[in-house]
């Protein structure tokens, strides 16, 4: 299993998670061209992708979604509230609504050979989630904009082979 940050900043977030059989992105906050260039450095092409897991609707997580989605027709996974928030934005104008795949926190879904568990995240968005992806006895987790964490969050991150945490600088959270 591979986990690679293609972009992580207030200017845009995009994370690659993959196995030999399945490739997904977590968020699409940078341009399609930048994503494609970053993926080529990993010897991947977009037609090999099985989905985009959207954490929430803020622009630094979905800026590239309209162009990327129109060009590649990759299914978009997000909570119902996140997908509805995207529908209300200009970004949705060229997104095929048939690509939307609503998810619920704590309800597993299958994407390729991944078992994915979305879990609630405390952030000022419609209904943000982090994701835990498991395949072939390995597990990774991605949580963006983590500001407050609880035992619930920790439980979803236990037993991982790798985790990508993106948060504002907080000394206490880093120490814990």
């Amino acid at each position: 299993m591979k986990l690679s940050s293609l972009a992580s900043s207030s200017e845009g977030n995009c994370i690659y998670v993959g196995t030999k059989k399945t490739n997904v992105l977590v968020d699409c906050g940078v341009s399609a061209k930048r994503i494609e260039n970053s993926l080529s450095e990993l010897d991947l092409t977009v037609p090999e992708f099985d989905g985009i897991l959207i954490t929430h609707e803020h622009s630094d997580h979905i800026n590239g979604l309209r162009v990327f989605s129109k060009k590649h027709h990759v299914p978009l996974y997000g909570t119902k509230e996140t997908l509805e928030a995207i529908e209300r934005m200009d970004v949705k104008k060229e997104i095929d609504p048939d690509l939307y795949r609503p998810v619920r926190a704590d309800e597993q879904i299958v994407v390729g050979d991944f078992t994915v568990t979305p879990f609630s995240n405390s952030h000022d968005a419609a209904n943000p989630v982090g994701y835990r992806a498991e395949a072939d006895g390995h597990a990774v987790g991605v949580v963006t904009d983590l500001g407050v964490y609880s035992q619930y969050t920790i439980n979803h991150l236990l037993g991982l082979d790798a985790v990508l945490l993106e948060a504002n600088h907080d000394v206490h959270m880093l120490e814990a």
Side-chain angles (χ1 to χ4, degrees), residues 2-32:
K2 294 180 182 178
L3 173 71
S4 180
S5 175
L6 306 181
S8 179
S9 75
S10 57
E11 295 177 13
N13 295 276
C14 185
I15 297 101
Y16 163 75
V17 182
T19 65
K20 290 180 181 177
K21 299 176 185 174
T22 303
N23 298 295
V24 299
L25 294 176
V26 179
D27 291 332
C28 192
V30 294
S31 72

Side-chain angles (χ1 to χ4, degrees), residues 31-125:
S31 72
K33 181 141 183 81
R34 181 170 171 191
I35 293 169
E36 291 164 0
N37 289 341
S38 295
L39 291 172
S40 71
E41 293 175 13
L42 299 173
D43 294 324
L44 295 168
T45 60
V46 178
E48 301 168 349
F49 274 74
D50 302 283
I52 300 172
L53 307 173
I54 304 167
T55 61
H56 63 286
E57 73 278 6
H58 289 167
S59 62
D60 58 323
H61 295 265
I62 65 164
N63 267 342
L65 197 57
R66 180 183 58 80
V67 172
F68 194 89
S69 172
K70 182 178 179 184
K71 187 173 181 180
H72 299 293
H73 302 282
V74 177
L76 310 173
Y77 297 86
T79 64
K80 177 180 176 274
E81 296 82 0
T82 295
L83 297 176
E84 287 172 349
I86 292 170
E87 274 290 306
R88 292 188 296 271
M89 302 169 138
D90 285 341
V91 73
K92 66 93 176 170
K93 289 180 181 169
E94 296 178 49
I95 297 176
D96 180 351
D98 290 338
L99 295 175
Y100 289 155
R101 307 287 191 278
V103 302
R104 292 182 189 184
D106 304 314
E107 290 186 12
Q108 292 182 337
I109 60 169
V110 175
V111 180
D113 65 347
F114 282 122
T115 299
V116 177
T117 306
F119 57 95
S120 295
N121 182 21
S122 175
H123 187 49
D124 63 342

